[in-house]
Amino acid sequence: MLGFRALPLQIGLARHFLPRRDYYQIANVFRSRPSATQSLGKVRRVTTEAGDNKSGHIFAGPNEGILFIDNVFPLKLRWLLRLPFFRADKSLPDLMSRFHKPYIAAADPISIVKRALPTNLPIKVTGVLPRLKEGGAFVKFSHEPQVQVSNIENTVRDYLKDEPIKPWFNPWRRVRTFLVMGRPWIEDLHRSPSQKLKVEFLPITPGGEAIELSQEILYSLFRKYGKIADIVPQPLDSKAVPKFAFIKFRLTRHSIMAKNCMHGFTVLEKEGGGKAGTVLRLAYEQKARAHWYRDWLVNHPRIVIPIVAALIATFTMAIFDPIRTFFIKVHVTHSFHISDNVIVKWLKSQLTRANDLLSFKRRQTEDPGLEAIWDDRKQTIEQIQTWLMETADTFIVIQGPRGSGKKELIIDQALKNRKNNLVIDCKPIQEAHGDSATIGAAALEVGYRPVFSWMNSLSSLIDLAAQGTIGTKTGFSETLDTQLAKIWQNTATALKQLALEERKKDDKDADLGDDEYLEAHPERRPVVVIDNFLHKSQESSLVYDKISEWAAGLTTGNIAHVIFLTNDVSFSKSLSKALPDRVFRQISLGDCSPEVAKRFVMNHLDAYTEDAIARDDRLTTPQKRTDLGELDGSIKILGGRLTDLEFLARRIKTGETPKKAVREIIEQSASEILKMYILDVDRTAHKWTSEQAWLLIKNLAEAENLRYNEILLSDTFKSGGESTLQALEQAELITIVSSNGRPNSIKPGKPVYQAAFQLLTRDHVLKARLDLGVLSELTRIETQSIDKYEAELHLLAKLPKQPRELTPRVEWLLKKLQICQSKVEKYEMESASLKKVLQVEY
């Protein structure tokens, strides 16, 4: 090796013979045999990686031999062969030859070959063929006839043991070399080396006979190339020809060496190859399942799909849940709302003030009409604020008919100066069609984003397809129940973080845990207002059940105060499922008293009159209040419902008299009643019939209150009467008044409905038509009873003997028949008179 380093090899000469070809031929015939390193320096003609003349083989004639040297190139560079623009026979050697650093230039195939061959070796190198994908190179040489190639091999191997060469890319393994015993196949196919070799046993001549070598013979032939992990012969039941065996080496470089040195080797008879001899054909045996992991995943969906679903869920929780919690907090605190910004609020107030001064207008902080309402309900507002300062773990329920001002009472008054208030409107959630729409509506109410509600439908389709394929559900799809639970859970997390935001380390109760701190400071908890609770609950109760359970967790966990706003008087049935051992704090809001209702309307008109004076408008008669003496009577008819009072004030502002405004409100209400409860009633969608609604309307037109049980005893409400009355109360046609926890009377759903009912009953044609329908329904009921009694009498008449014990039963049936028949005759007479009305009047 020292002799090689002293060799005067110039960089210009190296660039002359390196860049073009890898396999070189001698151009001149030397009289004296130079050293191996000198002969390498004069190589200048080359072939490709496909061998001599692209034949796929290297031919060694008399007095020639071939050595294979490994560890010349990194095996990890095999991927370069797959690039369309890369040519292994030019690119890599040319690239390496351009480096001037010794430890990089040592990777050049010529340099490694020079270093691997001793200087005094009696051979002449006639060619070098690098094998990029196999990480080595073939060295073809010639020698004197009296020199044995085996001696040359031993000399080179001993030299490499004494002077090991360890390239920079593989410093733990030295360069090795072996004599090529067979006829190597030099191919440039996209086949990667592997640890496993397939050894096929072929005859020397076509049609000849080859024998299958034993494991012992194979071991003796191949062990010198490296550690053998296993030798697997051909199975006994296999009829494949030619015969073969598998040899698995511990390292891939060992199998490369064996394959390049032993391919085409002939095993003679004395070595166990049979009388005619046996030729070995070697090839890399690729793994039967190169993508076994992919195949395993495809073939085991029952295991893989649930695991993938779990991983997706984990990823979603780890990545998206903090983002969603952040957006919920922003929604509650209104951090991104421009209208809630301090600077924007100040500018808005200043501009409003300037406008008022320029227009000589008195500044109003809120709706003037509501001042009278809040003065009347001041005690209720203070009571709610007191409850919010207490630690009781129960709900606050504000119940009242629609239009009674529940939401304004809580949001604008009770929570006026309180931070961190979350309002959830159940109406859009309940009215959403489909699971995706429901999830999207619920997420919108709390600010839960990003929400992939469309993924629920997609995952359901995937789950359905997987169920048809593997027979079981995969768990990809989630039910609406699960999706809503996720939204509420994230919301609870955000609310708890907001409740603890103002906590400091130097507080006097800093040693308390989070739960103890929130229990000790109820004023720090956010307030959750759930509006329109139990809206259309008869259609589906899933949303309300989940909200109730979530709200129960908020209150019992001291995370937030929860206020329910509902029109339904039966709210306790739903809320008791979530908190069965708690007594709810309840406030019932009714209609305003006539005095408060009048103040409400007058305040509206006063504010409008002042605005008109400020604008120098011409005041109309009602604004001059010359006819407001009718207001008392109008309010008495209209009642104290805030929505109706506001509607009245708005009409008076337009110039109508109070009587005319009330008359139009009554007519509009009568039209709504007729359309919603009588004419356009779908019996499949509603739990009442037109006849049942009309009977209540007719009776309430005559009396302000009806006895609850008396209505249930009527023939029209005999079947499912209570559920029908509850459905009509939900639809706001009537109001059921309870006493001591039980229903005792029935009133109109709105005070104005009393006058609307009377207006409807004064229409003789409408009354006759609807009464005729009621009579027809009653006649049908009595006819069914008659049929039942007659069937029983017929059954008793078939008995062979008539025992005297049956006499009372027969008499009772006959009396019932007589009563029913009398009713039918009465109904028919009344129907005849009603038909005359319909025939005469329009």
Side-chain angles (χ1 to χ4, degrees), residues 687-689 692 717 719-729:
K687 295 183 178 180
W688 70 84
T689 62
Q692 291 172 328
F717 288 89
S719 177
E722 285 194 298
S723 62
T724 301
L725 292 177
Q726 290 175 2
L728 288 170
E729 185 186 27

Side-chain angles (χ1 to χ4, degrees), residues 436-729:
S436 298
T438 303
I439 295 167
L444 184 63
E445 289 299 317
V446 298
Y448 179 93
R449 61 177 63 89
V451 55
F452 308 110
S453 56
W454 55 270
M455 284 293 294
N456 193 51
S457 301
L458 180 61
S459 57
S460 299
L461 294 175
I462 296 174
D463 204 3
L464 183 61
Q467 185 177 5
T469 304
I470 64 178
T472 59
K473 289 188 176 181
T474 60
F476 263 125
S477 63
E478 293 181 333
T479 61
L480 176 62
D481 190 345
T482 307
Q483 294 276 9
L484 291 176
K486 283 185 178 180
I487 295 175
W488 304 137
Q489 182 61 38
N490 277 86
T491 306
T493 303
L495 292 174
K496 188 171 184 179
Q497 292 178 5
L498 289 173
L500 297 171
E501 269 187 352
E502 298 182 0
R503 187 179 185 185
K504 300 179 181 179
K505 294 183 179 180
D506 55 351
D507 289 342
K508 61 180 181 179
D509 49 6
D511 56 334
L512 296 177
D514 292 343
D515 295 338
E516 292 81 3
Y517 176 82
L518 292 175
E519 185 176 3
H521 296 275
E523 73 280 359
R524 300 284 177 86
R525 304 178 204 166
V527 179
V528 179
V529 180
I530 301 176
D531 192 17
N532 287 316
F533 184 68
L534 298 180
H535 171 75
K536 292 185 177 181
S537 58
Q538 65 276 9
E539 296 179 1
S540 174
S541 62
L542 174 63
V543 173
Y544 298 116
D545 290 342
K546 298 305 298 182
I547 291 179
S548 301
E549 294 173 5
W550 173 66
L554 294 180
T555 55
T556 55
N558 298 315
I559 296 175
H561 300 285
V562 181
I563 301 176
F564 287 93
L565 309 181
T566 180
N567 308 332
D568 198 330
V569 295
S570 60
F571 62 87
S572 59
K573 295 180 181 178
S574 178
L575 295 180
S576 296
K577 298 177 183 178
L579 286 178
D581 55 346
R582 299 288 193 279
V583 177
F584 308 131
R585 290 177 168 176
Q586 176 184 354
I587 292 178
S588 296
L589 295 181
D591 298 326
C592 301
S593 61
E595 294 79 10
V596 175
K598 184 176 180 180
R599 286 176 54 198
F600 176 82
V601 176
M602 293 295 292
N603 287 347
H604 265 285
L605 296 178
D606 289 340
Y608 182 76
T609 303
E610 291 174 1
D611 292 344
I613 293 174
R615 295 192 305 268
D616 196 21
D617 290 344
R618 182 178 179 182
L619 301 182
T620 58
T621 301
Q623 287 147 13
K624 294 178 182 178
R625 302 155 67 116
T626 57
D627 57 355
L628 293 184
E630 304 172 356
L631 194 59
D632 292 335
S634 301
I635 290 177
K636 184 178 180 180
I637 297 173
L638 201 60
R641 191 65 54 88
L642 292 183
T643 51
D644 295 336
L645 293 174
E646 189 174 3
F647 192 26
L648 172 64
R650 197 178 298 117
R651 282 186 169 275
I652 294 176
K653 288 178 185 179
T654 61
E656 294 182 2
T657 63
K659 282 187 177 181
K660 182 180 179 182
V662 169
R663 184 169 63 253
E664 291 188 2
I665 292 173
I666 292 172
E667 291 175 354
Q668 182 177 350
S669 299
S671 300
E672 291 176 356
I673 292 170
L674 200 61
K675 178 177 178 60
M676 294 173 58
Y677 306 105
I678 297 177
L679 298 182
D680 297 338
V681 176
D682 184 3
R683 299 196 178 189
T684 59
H686 299 89
K687 295 183 178 180
W688 70 84
T689 62
S690 301
E691 292 77 15
Q692 291 172 328
W694 174 250
L695 181 64
L696 290 173
I697 290 171
K698 187 171 65 171
N699 291 335
L700 286 172
E702 298 173 358
E704 294 183 359
N705 295 298
L706 300 177
R707 285 182 287 272
Y708 182 82
N709 294 317
E710 182 182 2
I711 294 298
L712 291 180
L713 292 174
S714 64
D715 293 337
T716 307
F717 288 89
K718 259 183 186 177
S719 177
E722 285 194 298
S723 62
T724 301
L725 292 177
Q726 290 175 2
L728 288 170
E729 185 186 27

Side-chain angles (χ1 to χ4, degrees), residues 23 52 58-66 126 140-143 149 182:
Y23 180 74
D52 293 340
I58 300 178
F59 302 99
N63 299 326
E64 289 184 335
I66 303 173
T126 59
K140 185 177 180 181
F141 61 91
S142 61
H143 58 85
V149 291

